[in-house]
Amino acid sequence: MKDSFGRTIDYLRLSVTDLCNYRCTYCMPEEGVCKRAHAEILSIEALYEIAAAAVRCGVKKIRLTGGEPLVRRGILELCRMLRQIPGLETLAMTTNAGLLAPMARELKDAGVDRLNISLDTLDAARFAAITRRGRLADALAGLDAAKAAGFTNTKINAVLIGGVNEDDIAPLAALTKCESISVRFIELMPMGECAHWPAGRFLPADAVLRTLPDLAYVDNDGVAERYRLPGAIGTVGLIRPMSCKFCSRCSRLRVTADGKLKPCLHSGEEISLRGLHGKALEAAILDAAQKKPAAHTLGLREPSHAARDMNEIGG
């Protein structure tokens, strides 16, 4: 599947819920979000139907997102169903790992290939402050359980927040020294809860290179620039949506939990997939690929046009 700029679109981020067990300061209001009526959220069967249609259109990789996907009832059943789609090469999930420990082996058995774990700090008090209700011990237990269950090539995603977690750059990167994991530092984006935060909160990824001058460039992996510490097994990644647009390498579409297909994370464009089946559903997905913009307009003076919080889109 190609878009109008010749990019290959083969990656679908499928949000299964907009609910979460955390209330991260940059993502959700402290009081949480209004719970949608059951009928507003796509059923497991509808999520499967959209995923299968996307694969028929050329998608090779599906990532389940939220909110927090592990709060979604029936998530293991959905994983088993998706794993059976002919032509699907990779089934992945992004999770905050707070609920992962008791579910890691079941997720592996259900066919999930890889995990991305959101972890912005290794300081317990700071973790509690950022998430507003999470416990670092639970997230670390989830990470350990994922390794015990046989997950490999796990990625840890850390959002850079100026004045909050700069001190975590070195400790998080140090996790790559003895483990075959990638710790990826992501620039904070002005959208949703943090759309109008002070400029100092938006820390450029160059801060990682200044903190870790021994990092050596390895390659690009999708939207991430990969580096390695001397003697390390794993890698350190930089994802720079603010300081260095990677839109020319974008290969993804996003479907929200209420059934809207977004050609671009930061665009207000949404295409409703609800009630569509078969060829009509495939046509809508192909149309969305054609509506991908050349690039987003995101900047400190230009917040995201997404018109949704991140928990409603799935990152």
Side-chain angles (χ1 to χ4, degrees):
M1 176 167 48
K2 298 281 187 178
D3 71 3
S4 61
F5 300 96
R7 293 172 294 200
T8 298
I9 310 303
D10 58 3
Y11 178 13
L12 177 68
R13 295 179 69 98
L14 187 63
S15 176
V16 299
T17 181
D18 59 358
L19 301 178
C20 187
N21 53 320
Y22 290 173
R23 300 288 183 270
C24 292
T25 55
Y26 54 81
C27 183
M28 293 178 71
E30 187 168 6
E31 67 275 12
V33 297
C34 293
K35 189 173 183 179
R36 295 176 181 268
H38 181 73
E40 291 185 66
I41 300 297
L42 293 174
S43 67
I44 294 296
E45 292 74 19
L47 289 165
Y48 169 81
E49 186 176 13
I50 290 169
V55 173
R56 292 196 298 272
C57 289
V59 163
K60 302 297 184 185
K61 175 181 177 180
I62 292 175
R63 177 172 299 282
L64 300 179
T65 67
E68 168 51 49
L70 295 184
V71 307
R72 174 65 195 254
R73 184 175 299 174
I75 188 64
L76 292 171
E77 177 189 359
L78 176 62
C79 292
R80 286 189 285 265
M81 292 167 65
L82 296 179
R83 187 68 276 174
Q84 299 304 311
I85 297 175
L88 179 63
E89 295 178 1
T90 303
L91 178 61
M93 178 182 289
T94 294
T95 172
N96 60 39
L99 303 172
L100 180 59
M103 297 182 68
R105 191 166 298 279
E106 290 179 293
L107 287 168
K108 185 68 174 174
D109 292 344
V112 177
D113 298 301
R114 291 205 300 268
L115 294 173
N116 281 16
I117 293 176
S118 301
L119 183 63
D120 300 325
T121 178
L122 291 174
D123 179 273
R126 190 174 295 155
F127 185 93
I130 293 173
T131 65
R132 292 192 176 115
R133 56 173 58 187
R135 294 192 330 129
L136 177 62
D138 294 334
L140 295 181
L143 186 58
D144 289 342
K147 181 180 177 181
F151 282 103
T152 58
N153 299 314
T154 297
K155 296 174 181 177
I156 293 176
N157 293 335
V159 176
L160 292 167
I161 313 171
V164 176
N165 68 345
E166 294 104 321
D167 292 347
D168 283 288
I169 292 173
L172 283 166
L175 296 176
T176 68
K177 291 182 177 179
C178 300
E179 298 281 351
S180 182
I181 61 175
S182 180
V183 174
R184 310 191 306 173
F185 295 97
I186 305 172
E187 292 177 340
L188 179 68
M189 296 175 285
M191 63 185 298
E193 288 299 296
C194 61
H196 302 290
W197 279 8
R201 286 286 187 261
F202 297 89
L203 193 67
D206 279 348
V208 177
L209 299 179
R210 290 193 299 269
T211 302
L212 303 170
D214 290 338
L215 282 174
Y217 176 75
V218 177
D219 59 15
N220 278 19
D221 178 31
V223 299
E225 304 164 19
R226 293 201 301 179
Y227 297 79
R228 182 170 281 117
L229 289 167
I233 298 174
T235 59
V236 173
L238 304 184
I239 299 179
R240 309 172 182 252
M242 298 287 289
S243 65
C244 184
K245 288 183 182 179
F246 42 72
C247 301
S248 64
R249 305 198 303 273
C250 184
S251 62
R252 64 190 64 178
L253 297 172
R254 292 172 171 81
V255 174
T256 66
D258 60 348
K260 302 297 195 301
L261 196 158
K262 292 184 67 67
C264 171
L265 170 60
H266 297 296
S267 168
E269 179 91 41
E270 295 185 347
I271 298 168
S272 179
L273 302 182
R274 297 184 74 93
L276 299 180
H277 308 280
K279 293 298 182 182
L281 179 55
E282 293 174 24
I285 293 169
L286 293 169
D287 180 51
Q290 292 303 306
K291 290 182 176 177
K292 281 183 70 66
H296 64 69
T297 59
L298 195 66
L300 289 180
R301 294 183 176 86
E302 186 70 31
S304 176
H305 297 164
R308 290 175 182 254
D309 288 342
M310 186 66 85
N311 66 288
E312 297 178 297
I313 300 172

